[in-house]
Amino acid sequence: MIFETNGGELQYKDIDVPKPKPNEILINVKYSGVCHTDLHAWKGDWPLATKLPLVGGHEGAGEVVAIGENVTGWELGDLAGIKWLNGSCLSCEFCITSKESNCPHADLSGYTHDGSFQQYATADAVQAARIPKGTDLAQVAPILCAGITVYKALKTADLTAGQWVAISGAAGGLGSLAVQYAKAMGYRVVGIDGGADKGEFAKSMGAEAFVDFLTSKDLVKDVIKATNGGPHGVINVSVSERAMQQSVEYVRPAGTVVLVGLPAGAKVSASVFDSVVKTISIKGSYVGNRADSAEAIEFFSRGLIKCPIKVVGLSELPKVYELMAEGKILGRYVVDTYK
Ligand code: 8ID
Ligand code: ZN
């Protein structure tokens, strides 16, 4: 599935199989999750240009079918994952301190590097995710971006077991996994999203309380009430500037607001007086490093995380984007690259 211009036609057609560079592996992608980032990339929402033409996708799960000549540690037949961070320089100040996602030369799957919405995709052998043999590839696909990202965001919130965390955007792809990781890490979850179906869904993922932004008359007050004083941490995975703005207001004193969702052109402003007197932290969190990735996959492999997926053919990607833009998706769509 390839497009030539941002927002242009999504073309489902045959293209050449890429040849892995000396540092890369070639992965026969079987399934790929569809992240809201893929929709932002296709639309050209962000102040960072995509490669064009572009094959999107960065939650690809498959099997290693070719190995570049400088690669060590991978064998044909191994299961591998395509992550957002396809490769990084490994020698800059950020890479050497394990902040690889901040590498100024980062190569991004489905953005600056053709991604997983195709049957064969390349990945830097150092950054490709290792998936244990026998793993259900459709199930694990969403972990490769959504899972890693929310797990890292929860670590960034720096919480203690028993504390409250708000997941804003709780019924979406990232949110539905964030609720489960939070629970597995011992936190109490209040989900925030819009609609009765999304409330029920977030609760089925493990949210103890739910606040509906569509019906709540005073969301800030309702979240504070549900958490007996405000959540100690907030993971913002909605695509809404307003939701992020509200999170700065309802977070508990001494708490941490984590920004993850990337609505186009959004800004968050905070009252200096309130921020100082409440001593709140506002932090950005951007995917995760290799250790975060391995840990996030381990939570999944231990059976603590179940990805709520709906599998459709890759040819149906334009329909998935429509549903996503309308906010009509519960959990994650995964595309089968052979349909
Ligand atoms: O590393 C990162 N920071 C990273 C990694 C992966 C994805 C960031 N993202 C970004 C994506 O680019 C996107 O902007 O996270 C955002 C969410 O991605 P997603 O989970 O794949 O999107 P989704 O499945 O469409 O879920 C969004 C949810 O937000 C809810 C929607 O109802 C939906 O369930 N939502 C919206 I839109 N407005 C809301 C509001 N005001 C809201 N929930 C609560 N309050
Ligand atoms: Zn993503």
Side-chain angles (χ1 to χ4, degrees), residues 36-37 40 172-174 193 198 213 237 240 260-262 285 287 332:
H36 208 114
T37 291
H40 292 300
L174 267 63
D193 212 310
K198 295 198 176 183
F213 78 87
V237 285
S240 160
V260 179
L262 291 159
S285 187
V287 287
R332 197 55 129 198

Side-chain angles (χ1 to χ4, degrees), residues 146-147 149-151 153-154 159 163-193 198-211 234-237 299 304-308 331:
T149 301
V150 300
Y151 172 64
L154 284 160
L159 301 166
Q163 291 187 328
W164 278 102
V165 62
I167 309 294
S168 175
L174 267 63
S176 57
L177 297 191
V179 173
Q180 296 181 62
Y181 275 98
K183 234 195 135 191
M185 291 161 93
Y187 312 142
R188 301 179 71 179
V189 177
V190 56
I192 306 167
D193 212 310
K198 295 198 176 183
E200 257 169 56
F201 181 70
K203 284 191 171 162
S204 75
M205 295 290 111
E208 201 175 317
F210 181 78
V211 177
V234 187
I235 308 298
N236 279 289
V237 285
F299 269 73
L304 297 170
I305 312 295
K306 303 264 184 265
C307 295

Side-chain angles (χ1 to χ4, degrees), residues 7 9 16 20 67 69 72 86 97 108 142 163 167 172 213 216 248 258 266 281 285-286 312 316 328:
E9 188 195 349
D16 289 339
I67 298 175
E69 63 202 39
T72 53
N86 192 285
T97 52
L108 310 173
Q163 291 187 328
I167 309 294
F213 78 87
S216 168
V248 174
V258 185
S281 304
S285 187
Y286 183 34
V312 299
E316 293 179 61
K328 287 191 180 149

